[in-house]
Amino acid sequence: QVQLVESGGGLVQAGGSLRLSCAVSGSIVSLYNMGWYRQPPGKQRELVAAMISGVTTNYADSAKGRFTISRDNAKNTVYLQMNSLKPEDTAVYYCNARRLMSSREYWGQGTQVTVSS
């Protein structure tokens, strides 16, 4: 059974940094396209960053230049490094995995990120 477990969220002041982790169990991360999504209070879930086939990365306009998605195959973990955080980054952040060449999809439980002004 594939499971995704996020960690690293918390409270940080504007301008600070956080690194979110998504540990994958039950499979190997190299078999998946990975993504980080977030859902701010009162808003819909949105894609923040994605890693396609372990090579190509894509970012939402709001995240470009500040956020970086990366993968450590040895640890079977995906990261989201978030720098220069803004209050509007406050949201529940979710890790997503989509199996290559299939419709299988998995979600983590989410981790809260709160950025104070």
Side-chain angles (χ1 to χ4, degrees), residues 35-80:
W36 285 97
Y37 293 75
R38 69 185 181 190
Q39 186 167 9
K43 298 182 179 180
Q44 293 187 337
R45 183 181 61 189
E46 63 181 0
L47 178 68
V48 178
M51 177 175 287
I52 310 300
S53 299
V55 177
T56 303
T57 57
N58 294 302
Y59 299 92
D61 288 341
S62 61
K64 290 179 180 178
R66 300 189 299 124
F67 293 6
T68 303
I69 186 171
S70 61
R71 185 181 74 185
D72 187 331
N73 289 340
K75 297 181 178 180
N76 220 38
T77 299
V78 174
Y79 303 95
L80 183 67

Side-chain angles (χ1 to χ4, degrees), residues 15-54:
S17 298
L18 285 173
R19 189 182 73 163
L20 306 183
S21 298
C22 175
V24 179
S25 62
S27 188
I28 59 174
V29 70
S30 61
L31 296 176
Y32 297 83
N33 289 332
M34 303 298 301
W36 285 97
Y37 293 75
R38 69 185 181 190
Q39 186 167 9
K43 298 182 179 180
Q44 293 187 337
R45 183 181 61 189
E46 63 181 0
L47 178 68
V48 178
M51 177 175 287
I52 310 300
S53 299

